[in-house]
């Protein structure tokens, strides 16, 4: 069985802010980090909710992007999971990032 990829950071965002978040994720890649961005790694037709939760559980940090579109429904769930993990794991970080217009 192929081992799951471990990413450095999980990018949680409102889909309406995807362009700005994608730019930040590319910058993270360019500096050597391995960001998890759902649009890059989730495969259509597979159970994406469990995949999101699995990737979030394996990342070192969660970046919660707050943009002009506010917090989306699924982003809210991801943020709850990230904060819960932070409460249980002192080494896990949740980093808020305010996007332009946020």
């Amino acid at each position: 069985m192929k081992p799951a990829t471990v990413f450095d950071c999980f990018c949680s965002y409102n889909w309406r802010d995807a362009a700005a978040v994608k730019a930040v994720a590319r910058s993270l890649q360019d500096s050597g980090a391995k960001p998890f961005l759902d649009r890059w790694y989730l495969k259509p037709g597979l159970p994406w909710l469990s995949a999101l939760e699995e990737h979030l559980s394996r990342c070192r940090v969660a970046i919660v992007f707050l943009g002009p579109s506010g917090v989306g429904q699924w982003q809210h769930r991801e943020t709850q999971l990230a904060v819960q993990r932070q409460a249980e794991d002192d080494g896990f970080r949740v980093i808020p990032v305010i996007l332009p217009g946020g």
Side-chain angles (χ1 to χ4, degrees), residues 36-44 46-49 51-52 55:
F36 174 82
L37 190 64
D38 58 354
R39 294 172 185 267
W40 293 347
Y41 298 104
L42 294 184
K43 295 179 181 169
L46 295 179
W48 57 271
L49 183 55
L52 282 176
H55 285 295

Side-chain angles (χ1 to χ4, degrees), residues 12-49:
S12 178
Y13 63 99
N14 186 319
W15 67 270
R16 290 181 178 97
D17 299 323
V21 173
K22 186 177 176 181
V24 173
R26 289 258 184 246
S27 292
L28 288 167
Q29 279 185 325
D30 291 346
S31 58
K34 289 174 59 178
F36 174 82
L37 190 64
D38 58 354
R39 294 172 185 267
W40 293 347
Y41 298 104
L42 294 184
K43 295 179 181 169
L46 295 179
W48 57 271
L49 183 55

Side-chain angles (χ1 to χ4, degrees), residues 19-94:
V21 173
K22 186 177 176 181
V24 173
R26 289 258 184 246
S27 292
L28 288 167
Q29 279 185 325
D30 291 346
S31 58
K34 289 174 59 178
F36 174 82
L37 190 64
D38 58 354
R39 294 172 185 267
W40 293 347
Y41 298 104
L42 294 184
K43 295 179 181 169
L46 295 179
W48 57 271
L49 183 55
S50 60
L52 282 176
E53 291 177 357
E54 176 66 22
H55 285 295
L56 179 57
S57 75
R58 297 172 136 303
C59 287
R60 295 182 178 123
V61 301
I63 303 172
V64 178
F65 290 92
L66 305 167
S69 301
V71 177
Q73 177 184 1
W74 295 113
Q75 181 187 17
H76 180 69
R77 173 75 175 136
E78 294 164 356
T79 302
Q80 286 179 320
L81 291 170
V83 170
Q84 179 181 348
R85 180 172 170 203
Q86 186 177 41
E88 297 167 357
D89 178 357
D90 290 338
F92 184 74
R93 300 288 181 250
V94 178

